[in-house]
Amino acid sequence: MSDKVRMTAMNYDADRPAAKNPVKIMDLSLRDGHQSLFATRGRTEDMIPVAELMDEVGFWAIETWGGATFDTMHRFLNEDPWQRLRTLKKYIKKTPFSMLLRAQNLVGYRNYADDLAYAFVDRAAENGMDVFRTFDALNDYRNFETVVKQIKKCGKHFQGCICYTLTAPRLGGEVYNIEYYVKKARDLEEMGADSICLKDMAGLMSPYDAYALIKELKKHVTAPIHLHSHFTSGMSPMTHLKAIEAGVDIIDTVMTPYAYRTSHAALEPLVMTLLGTNRDTGFDIKKLAVINEILEKEVMPKYKHLLDDSKMSIIDINVLLHQTPGGMLSNLVNQLREMDALDKIDEVYKELPRVRKELGQIPLVTPTSQIVGVQTVNNVLHDTPEERYKMITGQVKDLCYGLYGKTAVPIDPELQKKALKGYPRGEEPITSRPAEVLEPELEKAKAEIGSLAKDIDDQILYAIFPVTGKKFLEWKYGKAEVPDSVKPITMEQVKERDELVKKAKAGKVIEKPENAPEKSEAARTFNVFIDNEYFTVDVDPVGGAPVISASGPAPVRAAAPAPAAAAPKPTAAAAPKNGESVQEVNGTLLTAPMPGMVVRFEKKVGDAVKKGDTIMILEAMKMENALVAPCDGSINAVNFSVGDSVVKGATLAVIG
């Protein structure tokens, strides 16, 4: 502990009696904290320095996993998600681990088959998970059935969640009222919930609504009540206090460096607020100060470049108007920025509640927040006065079919009919439990990935994320070079970066290193803004300019067909590489309407297509968009492969 901390750490716990009914605390810093503030980019190596100290605090549990971590770790950090659990268990030995499980969605963005759900829960428990915080985006508890069976079979804690949302500024409007939440809590207790969580993912719960709701829940269920409320709107600290007065059992908080904005309220002020009361946490503020100092000085500097410092206020009052969780909101803003359409953000806010209502007034939480958010962006950018929903995502079609479950109110029938026109599973929606129509997935995934997967954990990772999962396994086992973009940075690199920014802001010339490459003709000029100052920067793409760059029908270059063994299924020609022969191809171009990642091809080079046929699937913000042929013809060229990232306007295929 530093001298400053020692000097300010008063002997506040002298003659401090133990509280009769202490509030239990779950810490979210190692999962939801960094997911909310810096896009889930927290690395395991930066959790280890505080792990043993956090184990000594006395938390009810520490959230270490689930949510977006499984996706982000293998995709952006080159980390094995399963290994994080095993590593942290070596340092946190007394405090239970908690994870956020998206019920039948597991840690992905759709419902997975029962065999995969059983296997995932089993392996999570085996790797060290103790508390399974389980939620369904639609609050359809039929999606709990499979995972709950396995949680109970493994002897672990099943925490059932109720996703909190509103259709009015305060509790009591249509659909989402006290009666709704009481019924959901009773349903969870009947399922065997060991505790019940109110999951307020957008920070919508007001203090007096929290008091009334928790008072009522305590009358009707005996399971402990746990409150999870994001800070986004600024209400959560007040909401916590009223919930505590109402008898809530457990509260979620984060350590101060990971607090506020779209994250959660800080732990330390709550500890001091409850000091000496009958709900006193009993936590040692001096221990918390030591943890804070390590996070502030040794960890957060590595991630400050990911923090959104564009706003002065740490409160986003707009969330009370559009109800979009903070993480989803930042994704929407980034998506619009990449599409040069940030000026459309107000139209997105206006369209979003309309889309949500037409899709059944669904709560906005992963993955439904993405489903509503991405569809809203598609509507704003692609609809015309004559036609709405011109580009419907695959996930909206799945929702309309019933693959996510039953919505709170019926989906707009005209939209549902349009979404299901030509839908592969059928044009009539289902009413059964969604997973009942899904074929087993795990054995198929094992056959596809083959020997690249060394164990069941690798196989499950691939089954949930086939495109990025395969890429990660190639990195993991040395089959492909690990790109610099997924490698960790050191404090030395942080200092070097800060020094460069400091020099740039001071107007000092930065000398060109001796080994710097010469600028090519492909270099493009960008304006870079730093603290309201801007600098002109030339960016030179490695490997030369993109192969196909036309924005309309024009002669383009295409690769000679790739060997069949190296091609995806169905096959598609890969982009030309240095040294490969190319040929001129004329035709109509299929361009990317948005930035995204190629996830699969429905057609291959040489296939005949009709106007409107799906050629490929492009993933944007985890949602899949079917890109269709703009005309009749045949596929003459494909310029990208599965797993490639593309920018808006990139030429994806040529139809001749």
Side-chain angles (χ1 to χ4, degrees):
M1 189 188 300
S2 68
D3 291 339
K4 180 180 178 182
V5 172
R6 285 194 183 92
M7 290 173 63
T8 57
M10 299 177 290
N11 186 22
Y12 75 100
D13 54 354
D15 301 321
R16 179 186 183 187
K20 294 181 179 179
N21 183 25
V23 174
K24 297 180 176 65
I25 302 291
M26 184 161 90
D27 179 83
L28 310 180
S29 306
L30 304 188
R31 203 283 298 178
D32 206 4
H34 67 99
Q35 178 169 324
S36 298
L37 292 188
F38 45 96
T40 332
R41 296 303 197 268
R43 292 181 177 273
T44 306
E45 66 181 39
D46 293 320
M47 301 175 184
I48 292 174
V50 296
E52 290 180 320
L53 293 170
M54 293 182 72
D55 196 23
E56 297 298 324
V57 172
F59 293 117
W60 178 78
I62 297 175
E63 191 182 47
T64 55
W65 212 58
T69 58
F70 202 94
D71 181 4
T72 304
M73 287 179 69
H74 84 270
R75 188 188 296 233
F76 299 117
L77 305 181
N78 189 31
E79 283 196 40
D80 187 332
W82 303 105
Q83 185 58 47
R84 174 171 293 179
L85 278 180
R86 296 190 291 266
T87 297
L88 290 178
K89 272 292 181 182
K90 295 178 182 178
Y91 297 89
I92 302 174
K93 300 177 180 179
K94 296 184 295 185
T95 310
F97 280 9
S98 177
M99 75 165 290
L100 185 63
L101 179 69
R102 297 170 182 158
Q104 199 85 23
N105 280 195
L106 305 180
V107 285
Y109 306 98
R110 64 172 176 85
N111 276 339
Y112 296 92
D114 286 339
D115 66 327
L116 185 53
Y118 282 127
F120 179 85
V121 172
D122 180 68
R123 293 306 303 159
E126 184 66 26
N127 276 284
M129 190 48 58
D130 303 295
V131 178
F132 287 79
R133 169 176 282 179
T134 308
F135 81 94
D136 178 72
L138 302 184
N139 287 329
D140 185 345
Y141 296 148
R142 296 176 302 171
N143 290 323
F144 279 31
E145 292 177 13
T146 299
V147 294
V148 168
K149 287 178 185 176
Q150 194 63 27
I151 293 168
K152 292 292 188 179
K153 182 178 179 181
C154 293
K156 302 299 182 178
H157 184 109
F158 160 46
Q159 181 173 93
C161 286
I162 312 171
C163 293
Y164 185 83
T165 189
L166 301 170
T167 53
R170 293 285 298 274
L171 187 63
E174 60 173 341
V175 185
Y176 301 110
N177 46 43
I178 285 184
E179 292 74 21
Y180 173 90
Y181 292 109
V182 168
K183 181 182 183 305
K184 291 296 179 181
R186 284 173 165 171
D187 291 344
L188 288 173
E189 191 157 65
E190 287 178 8
M191 293 187 74
D194 299 296
S195 58
I196 295 171
C197 175
L198 287 170
K199 182 175 169 57
D200 177 22
M201 51 278 177
L204 301 175
M205 189 181 293
S206 67
Y208 289 104
D209 285 345
Y211 183 87
L213 178 55
I214 290 168
K215 273 287 189 183
E216 199 66 21
L217 289 176
K218 297 295 282 186
K219 294 177 184 177
H220 292 92
V221 295
T222 58
I225 304 298
H226 192 149
L227 178 59
H228 171 98
S229 183
H230 281 254
F231 179 79
T232 316
S233 68
M235 292 193 293
S236 69
M238 296 179 286
T239 298
H240 285 168
L241 284 180
K242 293 303 292 184
I244 289 169
E245 288 180 12
V248 77
D249 299 282
I250 314 166
I251 292 280
D252 282 349
T253 63
V254 292
M255 304 300 295
T256 296
Y258 288 178
Y260 306 122
R261 299 191 181 273
T262 57
S263 182
H264 294 259
L267 166 63
E268 297 81 357
L270 184 63
V271 169
M272 296 306 294
T273 299
L274 299 176
L275 184 68
T277 71
N278 69 332
R279 305 304 310 273
D280 191 337
T281 63
F283 290 178
D284 186 340
I285 196 72
K286 295 188 291 295
K287 289 183 179 180
L288 300 179
V290 175
I291 297 170
N292 271 306
E293 189 171 30
I294 295 170
L295 293 174
E296 187 72 35
K297 294 183 178 180
E298 300 178 21
V299 176
M300 287 301 290
K302 296 182 182 180
Y303 303 101
K304 62 183 178 183
H305 64 290
L306 296 171
L307 299 174
D308 181 9
D309 57 359
S310 61
K311 291 180 64 177
M312 294 294 290
S313 174
I314 63 171
I315 293 173
D316 179 12
I317 198 65
N318 286 320
V319 75
L320 298 175
L321 306 177
H322 51 64
Q323 296 199 26
T324 307
M328 184 58 208
L329 181 60
S330 62
N331 285 338
L332 289 177
V333 169
N334 288 336
Q335 185 79 352
L336 289 169
R337 184 181 291 117
E338 290 178 2
M339 300 175 72
D340 298 323
L342 195 54
D343 60 310
K344 303 286 188 181
I345 188 66
D346 288 337
E347 294 180 48
V348 170
Y349 288 156
K350 184 178 179 180
E351 176 74 1
L352 196 145
R354 186 180 179 188
V355 172
R356 181 194 179 205
K357 184 176 182 179
E358 290 168 341
L359 289 176
Q361 288 289 21
I362 53 180
L364 297 179
V365 62
T366 303
T368 50
S369 55
Q370 283 90 339
I371 292 173
V372 173
V374 174
Q375 187 59 56
T376 299
V377 171
N378 283 357
N379 286 6
V380 168
L381 297 182
H382 304 299
D383 284 0
T384 63
E386 297 75 29
E387 183 182 4
R388 294 187 69 230
Y389 291 96
K390 289 193 70 173
M391 180 180 285
I392 300 178
T393 68
Q395 281 68 27
V396 166
K397 296 176 182 179
D398 291 344
L399 178 71
C400 289
Y401 184 67
L403 280 188
Y404 284 93
K406 184 179 180 181
T407 56
V409 299
I411 295 172
D412 180 86
E414 291 301 314
L415 168 58
Q416 191 167 39
K417 182 178 179 181
K418 182 174 185 177
L420 295 181
K421 184 178 180 180
Y423 185 74
R425 294 179 180 272
E427 297 188 358
E428 288 296 320
I430 61 172
T431 57
S432 63
R433 183 176 71 92
E436 289 178 9
V437 303
L438 300 178
E439 296 294 327
E441 297 186 62
L442 191 53
E443 291 305 316
K444 180 182 176 183
K446 290 178 181 179
E448 288 177 351
I449 195 62
S451 61
L452 183 58
K454 305 302 182 187
D455 55 30
I456 183 63
D457 292 345
D458 286 347
Q459 292 165 346
I460 291 173
L461 189 152
Y462 170 77
I464 299 174
F465 298 103
V467 177
T468 56
K470 181 179 180 181
K471 186 180 295 185
F472 166 73
L473 293 177
E474 289 173 343
W475 296 341
K476 179 179 178 180
Y477 295 116
K479 304 296 183 182
E481 185 177 352
V482 178
D484 290 340
S485 61
V486 301
K487 294 178 181 178
I489 62 174
T490 64
M491 285 299 294
E492 287 71 24
Q493 290 172 310
V494 171
K495 293 176 182 177
E496 290 176 5
R497 182 183 63 203
D498 290 348
E499 189 62 29
L500 285 175
V501 172
K502 183 178 179 182
K503 287 182 179 180
K505 292 175 69 173
K508 295 181 180 179
V509 177
I510 302 174
E511 296 183 1
K512 179 181 177 182
E514 293 182 4
N515 60 346
E518 294 298 323
K519 184 167 68 172
S520 76
E521 295 180 357
R524 297 175 61 191
T525 301
F526 292 84
N527 289 332
V528 176
F529 294 84
I530 303 176
D531 293 344
N532 296 321
E533 297 182 56
Y534 83 91
F535 308 89
T536 300
V537 177
D538 288 340
V539 177
D540 200 351
V542 177
V547 176
I548 297 179
S549 58
S551 58
V556 295
R557 298 192 300 170
K569 299 177 181 180
T571 57
K577 299 177 182 177
N578 292 336
E580 288 186 324
S581 62
V582 297
Q583 58 191 15
E584 294 295 330
V585 179
N586 291 299
T588 301
L589 306 186
L590 174 67
T591 59
M594 61 193 72
M597 181 182 71
V598 178
V599 294
R600 70 177 179 274
F601 291 92
E602 301 293 345
K603 302 291 183 181
K604 62 181 184 296
V605 173
D607 283 353
V609 295
K610 294 285 188 181
K611 182 178 179 180
D613 286 351
T614 299
I615 293 178
M616 62 190 301
I617 305 298
L618 185 71
E619 178 197 272
M621 296 174 61
K622 311 299 191 300
M623 299 294 105
E624 295 183 355
N625 297 274
L627 304 188
V628 301
C631 62
D632 295 349
S634 61
I635 308 294
N636 287 349
V638 173
N639 198 38
F640 292 91
S641 300
V642 171
D644 286 347
S645 295
V646 301
V647 297
K648 179 189 176 186
T651 300
L652 305 173
V654 183
I655 302 170

